[in-house]
């Protein structure tokens, strides 16, 4: 710059001196003036070119000057490149940050000072039925048309969350969302959404379960305490006393079965998956099931004063199952005892094992009343009963099929039920080939 100034003064001095010789003082003034005029015009022209070069897309090209102009151009170029690099780093950081929020299982919405949507992740969009592009800068309350949400939004204190219906709700399935506002920055806020459908369903199931268990225990307890009172207050003969004691024993058996099944369920839920080390012989398993089944049918026949069932146990293949013996016994005998309990006395019940391409099957086919199709999907739910009184009369707890299904899941297999009302039912346990071994010697 110093040299440019010097250059300009020299030029003005030279032109002034030449003017002095040619025309005296006026000549010197005019000479210096024209020299300065030409110099500043050239300077202006160069500045215009520099400006054009800077704003042209071809900034990356070599500056077409030498000297100080080239230096200026190169410095500007370097600064711009530095800025671009910084901007790229910030852009990358922002993208990473947004990707991290995008990956969150919860919904995240950034709202500006006027509660307009600045950005939202896909989860929030799905939860609330938003479109990140279309709804950009739309007021959130205009889009989430839920009165609970509007009330929550309007209140001053957002320390706790609100529960609203999610976009995926249908007539059959309600999607429950927890939403909470968090203030940040200057007047901005973060709206977080969380799908709590599964949690609240689990909560409801737990409440139902506790209510069911209490109900199942309260009924026999009430009966028992009634009998105790009777025995205490009314003098009864030996026969009558015996009769009452038998009724009391039946009620305590009922409670005991319930406790046994509940313990079994909790053990199934809390324990590790059955190992593949324990080998359970089908022959030994079926020996126990056959003996118990026959005894149970006789007990039913005695009670109902009718003939025993025609229990047909087919020959058992020489195979072993890899799994927990007590669980397998429980799954298999639940099906056999159910068939006996729900099939009229004297009727036929066929029990057999079959090797199929799907795996090894245990099949119990009865000639009982059958089950209507609408009950089939819910049959293995805890305490779900089609014939409540028959279940109670025959000592049912409402947990047998739930236990069986659970055991099958733990062994990688499944419980299948086929039934037509009036034509009996077929219950199948399907074990995967990986749990079946032929002869272990
Ligand atoms: P429960 O102890 O009541 O028998 P389960 O879980 O074993 O409970 O069975 C659930 C319900 O399924 C029973 O209450 C009964 O209504 C129905 N059920 C089970 N097995 C049969 C069957 N073989 N025939 C008809 N209904 C059955």
């Amino acid at each position: 710059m110093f040299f440019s100034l010097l250059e300009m003064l020299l030029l003005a001095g030279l032109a002034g001196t030449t003017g002095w010789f040619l025309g005296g003082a006026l000549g010197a003034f005019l000479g210096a003036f024209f020299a300065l005029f030409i110099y500043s015009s050239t300077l202006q022209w160069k500045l215009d070119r520099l400006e054009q070069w800077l704003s042209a897309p071809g900034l990356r090209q070599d500056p077409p000057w030498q000297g100080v102009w080239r230096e200026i151009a190169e410095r500007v170029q370097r600064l711009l490149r530095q800025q671009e690099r910084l901007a790229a780093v910030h852009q990358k950081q922002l993208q990473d940050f947004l990707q991290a929020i995008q990956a969150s299982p919860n919904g995240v919405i950034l709202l500006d000072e006027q509660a307009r949507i600045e950005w939202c992740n896909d989860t929030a969009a799905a939860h609330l039925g938003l479109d990140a592009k279309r709804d950009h800068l739309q007021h959130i309350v205009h889009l989430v048309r839920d009165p609970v949400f509007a009330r929550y939004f309007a209140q001053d204190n957002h320390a706790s969350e609100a529960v609203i219906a999610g976009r995926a709700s249908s007539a059959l399935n309600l999607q429950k969302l927890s939403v909470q506002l968090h203030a940040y920055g200057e007047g901005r806020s973060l709206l977080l959404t969380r799908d709590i459908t599964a949690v609240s369903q689990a909560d409801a199931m737990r409440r139902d379960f506790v209510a069911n268990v209490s109900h199942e225990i309260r009924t026999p307890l009430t009966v028992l305490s009634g009998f105790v009172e009777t025995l205490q207050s009314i003098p009864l003969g030996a026969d009558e006393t015996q009769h009452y004691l038998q009724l009391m024993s039946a009620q305590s058996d009922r409670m005991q079965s319930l406790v046994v099944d509940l313990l079994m369920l909790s053990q199934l839920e809390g324990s590790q998956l059955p190992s593949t080390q324990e080998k359970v012989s089908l022959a030994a398993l079926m020996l126990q099931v056959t003996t118990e089944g026959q005894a149970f049918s006789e007990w039913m026949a005695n009670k109902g004063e009718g003939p025993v069932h025609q229990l047909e146990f087919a020959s058992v293949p020489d195979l072993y199952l890899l799994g927990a013996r007590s669980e397998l016994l429980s799954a298999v005998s639940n099906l056999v005892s159910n068939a006996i309990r729900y099939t009229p006395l004297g009727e036929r019940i066929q029990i057999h094992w079959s090797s199929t391409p799907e795996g090894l099957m245990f099949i119990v086919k009865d000639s009982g009343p059958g089950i209507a199709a609408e009950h089939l999907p819910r049959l293995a739910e805890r305490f779900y009963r089609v014939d409540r009184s028959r279940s109670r009369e025959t000592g049912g707890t409402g947990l047998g099929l739930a236990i069986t299904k659970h055991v099958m899941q733990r062994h990688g297999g499944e419980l299948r039920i086929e039934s037509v009302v009036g034509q009996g039912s077929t219950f199948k346990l399907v074990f995967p080939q990986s749990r079946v071994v032929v002869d272990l010697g």
Side-chain angles (χ1 to χ4, degrees), residues 40-246:
S40 61
S41 302
T42 316
L43 197 65
Q44 185 61 48
W45 175 72
K46 282 185 179 176
L47 277 172
D48 286 350
R49 274 186 67 199
L50 179 67
E51 198 195 347
Q52 268 171 20
W53 182 80
L54 285 177
S55 44
L59 187 61
R60 298 271 173 276
Q61 289 167 7
D62 227 12
W65 306 285
Q66 293 305 322
V68 68
W69 294 101
R70 184 182 182 87
E71 205 177 302
I72 293 174
E74 277 177 353
R75 268 193 202 181
V76 170
Q77 206 170 33
R78 264 200 304 280
L79 270 173
L80 279 171
R81 282 201 189 117
Q82 220 171 25
Q83 285 296 324
E84 275 175 4
R85 267 198 300 276
L86 255 171
V89 169
H90 289 156
Q91 184 66 20
K92 168 91 176 58
Q93 280 174 344
L94 181 68
Q95 285 309 322
D96 288 352
F97 179 67
L98 291 180
Q99 264 174 18
I101 305 182
Q102 196 61 274
S104 155
N106 297 331
V108 181
I109 304 174
L110 304 183
L111 300 174
D112 68 8
E113 301 83 350
Q114 280 131 50
R116 296 178 310 176
I117 300 172
E118 281 188 323
W119 184 87
C120 70
N121 67 357
D122 292 346
T123 312
H127 281 169
L128 300 174
L130 305 174
D131 182 317
K133 277 200 185 123
R134 184 198 60 205
D135 299 328
H136 183 236
L137 291 184
Q138 295 294 313
H139 199 290
I140 186 77
V141 178
H142 295 164
L143 296 172
V144 183
R145 297 200 157 273
D146 185 315
V148 179
F149 183 74
R151 267 201 304 279
Y152 174 75
F153 207 84
Q155 73 196 29
D156 295 330
N157 186 356
H158 298 115
S160 58
E161 52 192 28
V163 177
I164 64 169
R167 182 66 173 207
S169 295
S170 65
L172 289 178
N173 290 316
L174 178 71
Q175 185 196 28
K176 278 191 176 178
L177 292 182
S178 143
V179 292
Q180 189 164 13
L181 261 184
H182 300 270
Y184 79 98
E186 287 174 15
R188 285 159 182 268
S189 41
L190 187 72
L191 179 65
L192 299 182
T193 65
R194 196 159 48 92
D195 190 338
I196 54 164
T197 317
V199 178
S200 36
Q201 272 170 357
D203 259 10
M205 272 173 68
R206 190 181 43 77
R207 278 196 303 274
D208 282 357
F209 184 70
V210 172
N212 273 321
V213 171
S214 315
H215 176 76
E216 293 290 331
I217 288 180
R218 198 174 49 206
T219 315
L221 259 184
T222 314
V223 178
L224 258 180
S225 60
F227 287 150
V228 170
E229 223 169 87
T230 309
L231 287 174
Q232 281 172 335
S233 54
I234 306 170
L236 297 170
D239 283 354
E240 276 178 313
T241 307
Q242 197 54 38
H243 174 65
Y244 275 106
L245 286 176
Q246 264 170 11

Side-chain angles (χ1 to χ4, degrees), residues 338-339 341-342 366 371 379 384-387 391 396-401 425 427:
N338 273 0
R341 283 164 52 223
Y342 295 104
D366 66 43
I371 304 159
L379 225 51
Y384 189 85
R385 293 168 167 119
V386 182
D387 187 343
S391 164
T397 59
L399 296 173
L401 290 180
S425 312
F427 286 75

Side-chain angles (χ1 to χ4, degrees), residues 261 334-343 364 366 368-371 375 378-388 390-392 394-404 417 419 424-427:
D261 279 359
N334 275 341
L335 296 194
V336 176
S337 75
N338 273 0
I340 296 171
R341 283 164 52 223
Y342 295 104
T343 303
V364 180
D366 66 43
I371 304 159
H375 297 296
R378 299 196 58 193
L379 225 51
E381 282 176 22
R382 292 157 189 204
F383 298 113
Y384 189 85
R385 293 168 167 119
V386 182
D387 187 343
R388 193 163 284 273
R390 177 102 188 134
S391 164
R392 294 241 164 85
T394 55
T397 59
L399 296 173
L401 290 180
I403 291 174
T404 301
I417 309 169
S419 189
S425 312
T426 303
F427 286 75

Side-chain angles (χ1 to χ4, degrees), residues 244-261:
Y244 275 106
L245 286 176
Q246 264 170 11
L247 292 174
M248 288 167 74
S249 159
Q251 294 306 321
S252 85
D253 285 351
R254 193 174 146 190
M255 284 198 290
Q256 194 169 355
S257 312
L258 184 69
V259 171
V260 167
D261 279 359

